[in-house]
Amino acid sequence: MAACRAQPPTSEQAWLEAAQTFIQETLCPAGKEVDKELTRSVIACVKETWLSQGENQDLTLPFSYSFVSVQSLKTHQRLPCCSHLSWSQSAYQAWTRGGRPGDGVLPREQLILLGTLVDLLGDSEQECRSGSLYVRDNTGTLDCELIDLDLSWLGHLFLFPSWSYLPSAKRNSLGEGHLELWGTPVPVFPLTVSPGPLIPIPVLYPEKASHLLRYRKKSSIKEINLAGKLVHLSALIITQNKRYFIMTLGELAQAGSQVSIIVQIPAQMVWHRVLRPGRAYVLTKLQVTKTRIHLSCIWTTIPSSTLKPLRPGYVQELELDLEFSKADLKPPPQPTSSKDSRGQEGLVRASKVLHYLGTVTAVLHESAGLYILDGQLILCLAYQKIHGLRRVIRPGVCLELRDVHLLQAVGGATTKPVLALCLHGTVRLQGFSCLKPLTLPSSKVYGASLYEQLVWKCQLGLPLYLWAAKTLEDLIYKLCPHVLRCHQFLKQPSPGKPSLGLQLLAPSWDVLIPPGSPMRHAYSEILEEPHNCPLQKYTPLQTPYSFPTMLALAEEGQHRAWATFDPKAMLPLPEASHLTSCQLNRHLAWSWVCLPSCVFQPAQVLLGVLVASSRKGCLELRDLRGSLPCIPLTESSQPLIDPNLVGCLVRVEKFQLVVEREVRSSFPSWEEMGMARFIQKKQARVYVQFYLADALILPVPRPTFGSEPSQTASSCPEGPHLGQSRLFLLSHKEALMKRNFCLLPGDSSQPAKPTLSFHVSGTWLCGTQRKEGSGWSPPESLAVESKDQKVFLIFLGSSVRWFPFLYPNQVYRLVASGPSTPVFETEGSAGTSRRPLELADCGSCLTVQEEWTLELGSSQDIPNVLEVPRTLPESSLAQLLGDNSPDSLVSFSAEILSRILCEPPLALRRMKPGNAGAIKTGVKLTVALEMDDCEYPPHLDIYIEDPQLPPQIGLLPGARVHFSQLEKRISRSNIVYCCFRSSTSVQVLSFPPETKASAPLPHIYLAELLQGDRPPFQATTSCHIVYVLSLQILWVCAHCTSICPQGKCSRRDPSCPSQRAVSQANIRLLVEDGTAEATVICRNHLVARALGLSPSEWSSILEHARGPGRVALQFTGLGGQTESASKTHEPLTLLLRTLCTSPFVLRPVKLSFALERRPTDISPREPSRLQQFQCGELPLLTRVNPRLRLVCLSLQEPELPNPPQASAASS
């Protein structure tokens, strides 16, 4: 603590000798002899100050104190300290009690400081004065702050009895250390008091001075002396070229005319520290000048002007030789504010201007100029360029604020009232703090120039500025220090290189900043009446948007997804009541929620560093708190293929947050769907989707953090800049999945286990290229030009991170840094001998090393190479749905219609519910093929099973996806379907639309289904029910689907724990519309619609069928007998038989249907048959097409035509 001072002498003689040596070296002019008078005066001054305590009568000199020079303070004093020569110990203790508990009080050092008080940093008078104060001795100069200053003190030697020294903080960007001078300095030599003028100074008072300014052409006076009471003092204006301030003098006796004076002489900037509103002053030798903005005239000082306090008898009013009329003596009209607030009158609030005296209790943000006053108010100094005073402001400092604006309820997450100073107001130091400076985080120390730009260049109002400061702090919390350093994020903007923080905030300012906002003009802000400044009027701010952390966004998405998870809403009652337990739980096992960015309030902006994960093989947006998988797409349905974007900062306002919900449940039936105890496990997968056109991508100045291997320089002798590369055209990428790899015989350090990996196949486009400066050399010639150039690349381990960038028909450059030994020309790397792969079609096989990198290349880099086709491979419809190529590989684009988990086989369904977790299930996607020559796209099922589970992100209903090399299969019932294989790759082409309007089904005639190869799979028609073919009502076990008479399972097996039965019904109808006839099957609740029964009537029939468990009716034909599996004399059977043959059922209807024969059914079509009809007495034999087989989707009563309007009576 006391490293800056020597050990104090132990005797009076030694102390005096040390004092004399110090005075000679530090205070005497260099090169002069010992000034004994100076030594005696200094010691006498120290002695007098020391004895002023009243407690040191035993010691006439402060032997425990030692002298300290400016250079010693700057060099050796590393910690804040204070020294109070004139204070007793009890006075110091009383002073320290002013600090709050837990705050560090400035430690007391026994040091004596002397120096000359100056306002010039150097020795040359030509150096620009800025209004700052310094303490100077022979060893150097040190900045200082003084509460009250007298101009007569400048240039004189003083003893400073009470002072504090605060060294420069290591992370402080506001300069080196400074002194805080408590109390009044003690002059070493008595100060000479200048006598008053021999004759009174002729002066003008404000009223006549203002009139003279208006009518100066009528007078020959060029210079005046002005006297008056200081009524207003502006802030010290700091521009790039100069500094100035404006003071306003008023009449002495009463309120009246006022006149403003601009002070812009560098040597007079120190006046700003001396002037006190309410005191009277005399300014001499004032002249007239014009302001730059309004070209109006104002009084100004010249280099020979002086400032003196006004004393009685020193001045005499000057009589002007001008005659003013009564009109001339009228005050000039006051300008009005030109701000246009039309359309916002109900939102705009006016601030209050007041004076305030308070104590700083906390530092909110030093660089942004935000503090807390008296624990209740926020103080904002950003609208004034106050640099020197900010280093002094800390908890415990007392400030006087004059003409400060009070703004309440500014919004933008700011709840406290705000005091803000514009250029019209001033802040003055009224008391120093006894506390040590706080150790602030980097985010609150760096970036002062950035926050100045927000106010002065971006013209932000106070509510928006407070929000921007808080948002920048949140961004630093997200990204610093691992993504980039805080000073890099908040670095000072330069031409052509805007600050990274500003680039992240600026995209939305066009909306937030009202159009036509005026630029700030200092002259107008200070002089204009009525007062007009950015703080005069304000609109409370609704938080425009926020930058949540990835962890917070994922948690918010999961919270919203599970809050909307309602099994009853997901499966409406008419459908759910007929599902078995297994069907019910499978429908609930997977669901998804898409949250567009517009649903968040306030709006959420996605911000993170783009990284490629080697653990998941996908792209992620990452910050310090977490990461989110993401899918970025271009507007042309192209994925992100440029690996150079890894490490860039991505900002997205429009995105989709997707939450895939997975639920393991054991609901016995639909009646228990509201009971949460039947849900055993819930988990979610969260990721984001966005288009690159909606993203702002910014490079960061240093590599990102993360688990990915850093691209370190090679340790080879050739140096880190050597490297080689080779271009290849990718033809196919296989699936990312866990694969088995063989170990070499001697490599058994770790047990073999499946490893996440993928393979790609492609073609070398040229030979190896060497690194030459920032480019690549021409390709090397190949040893055998005619050799096969196909290559098989294996990616595993950390190289899996390149998976999301690799796509067919793209050119890439594989880069290997390090030695010059060829690494790409080998027939097989060390990895190939460890992996038994069939590579008959490939000339070489390489395992991509972890340190190798991937770059996006172009075929233009190589001459004589044909243009690479960019179209995706597509199989024809004949290849897809034909029966001539089973077990082949197909590729196509399709829209996903639905996604469900596959039901397990019946044997597994009969397992106990406790073993449900052991059932291996897959994923079934139903897609609509995209075919140019097909009006109605056929639907196809795609199955995904282990080890391709879980499916990659983005496979959602509504998304357009390209599937490459799926295995085509044909089921035993001749249905074409596809399966994922290790060779399969998937590319998302577009995201599900945020709002999708379901297109109405086409309305057709039944005969149209017999025409053409690809009729619509679903449609509507208007037809007539000819008769009922069959009707069946069942009550089955909800667990094992056995018949349940009286509601009890008929299996009588203890392995079936279910006590629930569900009803199932189906009816087959014969319908015709005059063009063709078809059989229609209706199931469950649609049976009631077909029979024309109300829900209550249908429920009553189901309850009567619960007793037998099964009621079945079979009709042989129109007018034929009924064949019944039930007892024909039962009342329910009689009722249903009568109902099915009544006109109440045999009626016209509007039918929505789907073909029972799926478009992917390749079984031979039923041929037409000969049928005999009787026409009177003549038999007719004709060929009849087979009946169409339809599945009812909905059944409605036909719309009756509107009756014709009655004619008018007059017609």
Side-chain angles (χ1 to χ4, degrees), residues 912-935:
K912 294 183 179 180
N915 297 332
I919 300 176
K920 294 291 185 180
T921 60
V923 174
K924 180 178 118 175
L925 303 177
T926 300
V927 301
L929 302 177
E930 293 184 355
M931 297 293 172
D932 296 335
D933 56 347
C934 187
E935 181 180 2

Side-chain angles (χ1 to χ4, degrees), residues 80 104 106 165-167 169 178 180 391 394-395 435-440:
L106 288 170
Y165 175 70
L166 286 83
H178 68 279
E180 296 175 352
R391 64 188 177 187
R394 62 184 185 275
L435 304 176
K436 293 186 291 186
L438 301 174
T439 302
L440 299 175

Side-chain angles (χ1 to χ4, degrees), residues 446-495:
Y446 291 113
S449 60
L450 171 63
Y451 292 100
E452 283 186 4
Q453 189 173 11
L454 292 178
V455 173
W456 296 93
K457 184 176 180 180
C458 301
Q459 301 289 317
L460 298 190
L462 181 66
L464 191 55
Y465 174 77
L466 295 176
W467 169 81
K470 177 64 171 61
T471 303
L472 285 173
E473 190 174 354
D474 293 341
L475 291 178
I476 293 173
Y477 176 77
K478 277 174 62 69
L479 303 174
C480 301
H482 298 304
V483 177
L484 70 165
R485 300 301 178 189
C486 184
H487 69 274
Q488 293 174 323
F489 183 77
L490 298 174
K491 70 177 181 179
Q492 182 176 359
S494 58

Side-chain angles (χ1 to χ4, degrees), residues 1050-1070:
S1050 60
R1051 290 185 65 237
R1052 305 183 184 275
D1053 190 341
S1055 64
C1056 181
S1058 177
Q1059 301 296 323
R1060 295 287 183 183
V1062 294
S1063 63
Q1064 294 181 348
N1066 62 77
I1067 187 172
R1068 293 188 68 88
L1069 308 172
L1070 178 66

Side-chain angles (χ1 to χ4, degrees), residues 15-16 39-57 59-62 67 84-87 112 114 159-161 184-190:
W15 189 90
L16 291 173
T39 303
R40 284 195 296 270
S41 298
V42 169
I43 294 176
C45 183
V46 171
K47 181 178 180 180
E48 182 181 356
T49 305
W50 168 254
L51 294 177
S52 64
Q53 298 182 28
E55 298 181 2
N56 301 316
Q57 303 302 324
L59 298 174
T60 58
L61 290 173
F67 292 88
H84 302 283
L85 181 64
S86 60
W87 286 13
I112 301 174
L114 295 103
L159 166 69
F160 304 104
T184 304
V186 180
V188 174
F189 299 104

Side-chain angles (χ1 to χ4, degrees), residues 549-567:
T549 63
M550 295 301 163
L551 179 61
L553 188 62
E555 291 177 348
E556 172 70 11
Q558 291 194 53
H559 173 74
R560 288 175 177 252
W562 291 120
T564 58
F565 179 75
D566 184 3

Side-chain angles (χ1 to χ4, degrees), residues 22-38:
F22 173 82
I23 295 170
Q24 174 65 28
E25 296 177 352
T26 308
L27 303 178
C28 288
K32 292 189 177 181
E33 298 180 356
V34 177
D35 190 342
K36 296 182 179 181
E37 179 64 24
L38 175 61

Side-chain angles (χ1 to χ4, degrees), residues 778-1059:
E780 297 178 357
S781 60
L782 299 176
V784 181
E785 293 293 339
S786 61
K787 65 179 293 187
D788 193 355
Q789 292 297 300
K790 292 184 179 180
V791 63
F792 190 83
L793 299 178
I794 302 172
F795 293 78
L796 72 161
S798 295
S799 63
V800 168
R801 67 187 184 275
W802 304 118
F803 180 80
F805 297 104
L806 293 168
Y807 287 93
N809 299 328
Q810 299 291 340
V811 176
Y812 298 93
R813 183 183 296 275
L814 195 60
V815 181
S817 60
S820 57
T821 306
V823 295
F824 301 128
E825 283 75 16
T826 56
E827 293 294 327
S829 65
T832 56
S833 61
R834 302 170 60 171
R835 299 162 178 84
L837 300 174
E838 296 293 332
L839 302 174
D841 295 334
C842 294
S844 62
C845 173
L846 290 176
T847 300
V848 177
Q849 304 301 311
E850 295 183 359
E851 64 274 9
W852 292 2
T853 59
L854 197 68
E855 298 177 1
L856 183 64
S858 173
S859 59
Q860 302 300 325
D861 297 337
I862 306 301
N864 303 323
V865 175
L866 296 178
E867 181 64 27
V868 177
R870 300 298 183 186
T871 57
L872 296 172
E874 298 280 351
S875 302
S876 66
L877 194 59
Q879 291 175 318
L880 285 171
L881 303 183
D883 58 353
N884 54 352
S885 56
D887 302 328
S888 61
L889 298 179
V890 294
S891 302
F892 54 85
S893 298
E895 178 186 350
I896 299 179
L897 301 178
S898 65
R899 171 177 168 177
I900 61 172
L901 294 185
C902 301
E903 292 188 3
L906 180 61
L908 293 178
R909 252 182 279 166
R910 290 175 174 172
M911 294 175 59
K912 294 183 179 180
N915 297 332
I919 300 176
K920 294 291 185 180
T921 60
V923 174
K924 180 178 118 175
L925 303 177
T926 300
V927 301
L929 302 177
E930 293 184 355
M931 297 293 172
D932 296 335
D933 56 347
C934 187
E935 181 180 2
Y936 301 107
H939 296 181
L940 182 70
D941 291 337
I942 302 174
Y943 293 87
I944 310 174
E945 298 176 342
D946 275 335
Q948 284 86 10
L949 293 177
Q952 75 175 56
I953 58 176
L955 300 185
L956 302 172
R960 292 179 54 249
V961 181
H962 181 267
F963 299 93
S964 177
Q965 294 199 8
L966 287 169
E967 182 181 4
K968 171 188 169 183
R969 288 187 176 181
I970 301 176
S971 69
R972 286 175 292 181
S973 56
N974 288 323
I975 303 295
V976 175
Y977 66 98
C978 292
C979 291
F980 269 54
R981 285 295 172 257
S982 61
S983 61
T984 303
S985 62
V986 175
Q987 177 179 334
V988 177
L989 301 178
S990 65
F991 305 134
E994 294 182 4
T995 57
K996 183 176 181 180
S998 58
L1001 296 178
H1003 192 279
I1004 65 172
Y1005 293 104
L1006 293 179
E1008 296 181 44
L1009 299 176
L1010 301 173
Q1011 302 170 0
D1013 294 334
R1014 301 297 170 191
F1017 178 60
Q1018 295 178 347
T1020 62
T1021 188
S1022 297
C1023 59
H1024 189 280
I1025 301 177
V1026 179
Y1027 60 86
V1028 176
L1029 296 174
S1030 64
L1031 172 64
Q1032 182 175 243
I1033 301 177
L1034 302 174
W1035 282 90
V1036 298
C1037 175
H1039 181 69
C1040 66
T1041 69
S1042 299
I1043 299 297
C1044 291
Q1046 303 298 330
K1048 296 182 180 180
C1049 182
S1050 60
R1051 290 185 65 237
R1052 305 183 184 275
D1053 190 341
S1055 64
C1056 181
S1058 177
Q1059 301 296 323

